[in-house]
Amino acid sequence: MNKQHIWLTIFLIVLIWSGINPKDQFTWFLEVAPALIALPLIFFTRKRFPLTPMLYALILIHCVILMVGGHYTYAEVPLFDWIADALGSDRNNYDKVGHFAQGFIPALIAREVFIRNQVVKPGVWCSFICVCFALALSAFYELIEWWVALLTGEDAEAFLGTQGYIWDTQSDMGMALLGAIVALLVLVKTHDKQLAALKS
């Protein structure tokens, strides 16, 4: 079994588990939709524009985060209920993990696409534009949450996952910003090595 088959097997196992008796069917669909969009994109571009191994792994991790959140809803993931209880908090912070990933992974996707298509050279400006891209994506996702809430009313409450926190939207975007910055600070050297390996 090659790496592509392992990737797809993990994706499908978690997706099937996620879709079995989720907390809320409508919320499940909304949460896993980005993963369902990512799958055909990765499949149809795998030969023409193969990604670095690190990026494939990170995309899979992001998809798993989305599927777990879809199954339980972001406000009710059991492990994070336990963490909240242990810390004496009344808020399940799994959504913050999701929004951190929403900055972390897209920043590296943007970096790979920009560098390989020679949109911008590696360096400070490249990192800045990648952070801007991740933050713009996060803001757009918050707009989608708002539009869904307007169209569906109370049905979107679990999807929004604000848990009564009035600054939830801002903190979500803040976590995405943090995720993008951390990704670029920690993984640029590894990413550059894998990009170089793709050229050879």
Side-chain angles (χ1 to χ4, degrees):
M1 184 178 287
N2 62 32
K3 291 179 181 179
Q4 290 181 353
H5 291 149
I6 293 170
W7 193 102
L8 184 61
T9 299
I10 294 170
F11 182 99
L12 291 176
I13 287 173
V14 180
L15 178 65
I16 292 167
W17 163 81
S18 176
I20 297 173
N21 297 320
K23 177 76 176 181
D24 180 90
Q25 195 71 48
F26 179 64
T27 301
W28 176 84
F29 174 75
L30 293 174
E31 298 294 3
V32 302
L36 297 176
I37 293 168
L39 181 61
L41 284 175
I42 289 172
F43 178 79
F44 289 114
T45 61
R46 74 190 189 284
K47 292 181 179 178
R48 182 172 56 86
F49 196 84
L51 302 174
T52 54
M54 179 181 70
L55 206 50
Y56 279 125
L58 288 172
I59 290 170
L60 180 59
I61 290 168
H62 196 182
C63 290
V64 169
I65 290 170
L66 293 170
M67 293 173 196
V68 171
H71 182 78
Y72 293 110
T73 78
Y74 276 80
E76 299 184 38
V77 174
L79 174 61
F80 282 75
D81 277 341
W82 178 84
I83 292 172
D85 290 341
L87 297 175
S89 172
D90 58 355
R91 191 183 196 284
N92 185 308
N93 282 308
Y94 185 76
D95 66 321
K96 301 310 175 197
V97 173
H99 285 282
F100 182 88
Q102 191 182 65
F104 195 99
I105 290 90
L108 290 168
I109 294 173
R111 186 175 192 272
E112 184 150 328
V113 171
F114 291 161
I115 291 173
R116 289 175 63 186
N117 286 302
Q118 299 181 335
V119 176
V120 63
K121 294 179 180 179
V124 175
W125 278 108
C126 179
S127 295
F128 175 74
I129 293 170
C130 291
V131 169
C132 289
F133 172 84
L135 192 53
L137 183 66
S138 176
F140 182 64
Y141 193 80
E142 295 300 325
L143 289 174
I144 291 173
E145 288 185 346
W146 175 45
W147 295 332
V148 169
L150 289 176
L151 291 171
T152 62
E154 292 183 3
D155 289 341
E157 186 175 343
F159 178 55
L160 290 172
T162 59
Q163 300 180 65
Y165 181 42
I166 62 170
W167 302 112
D168 185 71
T169 299
Q170 291 82 357
S171 66
D172 287 348
M173 289 188 288
M175 289 301 295
L177 174 61
L178 179 63
I181 293 169
V182 170
L184 295 170
L185 287 174
V186 173
L187 293 178
V188 161
K189 288 184 179 180
T190 303
H191 194 211
D192 283 343
K193 288 179 182 177
Q194 293 196 3
L195 286 172
L198 277 181
K199 292 180 181 179
S200 60

